[in-house]
């Protein structure tokens, strides 16, 4: 069923930023197609919610995903959000499989989903990528993650140049209180020399809430044209 405000298709909805965006989008009148390995149980009974099971690190599963939206004048938005940190550790310890899983999930799958989405007939399309500050500054021990997020920022820049009338964005959400941050804090100092700083910031309650990121992204979706291709969500939260 199409929501009064349009349709949001979002990957990685079982927790964190993706779950917060899906919940808020449903609350304010979008219909949502979630895509990922695990469906959030709290959304299953919502008539405006549909879930497609797919492991986005597997080519065959990505290519068989069907978008649920029929041709419609309301906005249809793809948010490529699913992601992994990959294995942390010095670059010379990262093997083929570690590299491949991170690059497939964080780069190849969003590129393929977006290519198929851009071929759909809807007039009013928008595309978002959950980017990262790690695309813009190097973090010792995060070679795969930093490289993957830099790649997806640049993909967004190219796509925006090719499609000047379509809002296309990679947003950087800051350090957000999600399971991914818990994974970071659990790293050894050998694998991630900066781990202590992340533990301190968490202990001091400095992490951004996923709900704040969701508000910012939904603000940009409903007010297209205000932001550059890559934007920090912290910039939006201040105006909410
Ligand atoms: N938290 C931060 O500080 C932060 C900062 C900058 C950017 N980000 C980005 O934000 C995005 C969301 O992360 P998060 O922080 O919200 O962490 P999260 O709660 O761990 O969310 C990651 C999501 O990706 C999904 N996912 C992982 N592997 C998948 C696979 N193979 N196939 C399909 N889905 C998969 C997970 O679902 P399942 O495991 O259920 O499949 C989950 O829903 C990521 O792209 C991340 O890089 C996070």
């Amino acid at each position: 069923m199409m929501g009064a405000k349009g349709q949001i298709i979002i990957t990685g909805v079982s927790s964190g930023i993706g779950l917060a965006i899906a919940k808020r989008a449903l609350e304010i009148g979008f219909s949502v197609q979630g895509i990922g390995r695990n469906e959030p149980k709290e959304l299953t009974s919502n008539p405006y919610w549909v879930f497609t099971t797919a492991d986005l690190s597997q080519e065959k599963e990505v290519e068989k995903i069907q978008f649920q939206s029929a041709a419609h004048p309301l906005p249809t938005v793809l948010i490529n959000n699913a992601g992994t940190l990959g294995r942390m550790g010095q670059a010379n310890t990262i093997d083929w499989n570690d590299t491949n899983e991170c690059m497939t999930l964080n780069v190849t799958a969003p590129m393929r989903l977006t290519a198929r989405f851009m071929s759909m007939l809807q007039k009013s399309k928008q595309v978002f990528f959950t980017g990262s500050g790690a695309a813009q500054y190097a973090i010792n021990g995060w070679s795969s993650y930093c490289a993957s997020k830099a790649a997806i920022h640049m993909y967004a820049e190219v796509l925006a140049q090719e499609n000047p009338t379509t809002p296309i964005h990679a947003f950087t959400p800051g350090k957000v209180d999600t399971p991914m941050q818990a994974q970071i804090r659990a790293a050894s100092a050998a694998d991630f020399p900066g781990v202590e700083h992340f533990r301190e910031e968490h202990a001091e309650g400095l992490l951004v809430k996923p709900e704040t990121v969701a508000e910012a992204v939904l603000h940009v979706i409903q007010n297209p044209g205000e932001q550059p291709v890559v934007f920090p969500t912290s910039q939006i939260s201040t105006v909410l």
Side-chain angles (χ1 to χ4, degrees):
M1 200 164 5
M2 176 68 85
K5 285 197 174 162
Q7 161 94 340
I8 290 181
I9 301 164
I10 176 165
T11 65
V13 283
S14 61
S15 59
I17 295 168
L19 178 59
I21 293 175
K23 282 165 70 173
R24 188 68 188 133
L26 288 164
E27 277 167 17
I28 65 174
F30 286 94
S31 49
V32 178
Q33 178 184 7
I35 302 171
R37 293 181 300 190
N38 297 294
E39 180 171 17
K41 297 282 170 285
E42 61 197 288
L43 298 182
T44 49
S45 60
N46 191 311
Y48 292 94
W49 163 258
V50 63
F51 185 73
T52 303
T53 307
D55 180 340
L56 298 169
S57 67
Q58 303 301 316
E59 178 187 355
K60 283 189 182 138
E61 297 198 27
V62 173
E63 295 297 350
K64 75 170 193 222
I65 290 167
Q66 300 286 320
F67 298 126
Q68 287 292 314
S69 118
H72 200 284
L74 292 171
T76 302
V77 184
L78 173 64
I79 307 178
N80 291 287
N81 168 75
T84 178
L85 261 180
R87 210 171 70 66
M88 288 174 277
Q90 297 296 289
N92 65 340
T93 68
I94 308 297
D95 68 17
W96 179 278
N97 288 336
D98 298 331
T99 306
N100 207 28
E101 195 207 346
C102 183
M103 286 301 186
T104 304
L105 182 59
N106 293 5
V107 185
T108 314
M111 286 173 68
R112 282 298 305 145
L113 278 182
T114 302
R116 292 178 50 211
F117 179 77
M118 292 304 287
S119 304
M120 290 184 2
L121 291 176
Q122 273 89 353
K123 283 214 172 77
S124 180
K125 286 199 276 261
Q126 300 183 27
V127 181
F128 287 74
F129 302 88
T130 307
S132 175
Q136 295 158 328
Y137 45 83
I139 301 176
N140 186 331
W142 293 17
S143 56
S144 303
Y145 187 73
C146 289
S148 71
K149 290 296 181 180
I152 211 65
H153 280 208
M154 184 51 78
Y155 180 71
E157 296 277 7
V158 173
L159 202 70
Q161 213 174 83
E162 291 177 356
N163 300 276
T165 59
T166 304
I168 291 165
H169 298 286
F171 59 91
T172 60
K175 294 191 183 92
V176 191
D177 198 1
T178 70
M180 185 176 279
Q181 282 288 330
Q183 186 192 345
I184 294 168
R185 292 193 298 277
S188 69
D191 284 340
F192 175 32
V195 65
E196 201 47 47
H197 181 60
F198 278 66
R199 290 178 187 150
E200 284 164 11
E201 287 197 320
H202 175 251
E204 288 165 24
L206 296 178
L207 299 195
V208 178
K209 290 189 175 64
E211 293 74 21
T212 306
V213 176
E215 283 294 349
V217 172
L218 285 158
H219 174 87
V220 175
I221 288 170
Q222 294 173 94
N223 297 277
E226 290 180 354
Q227 296 302 318
V229 176
V230 177
F231 72 89
T233 51
S234 57
Q235 188 176 304
I236 313 300
S237 342
T238 54
V239 301
L240 289 174

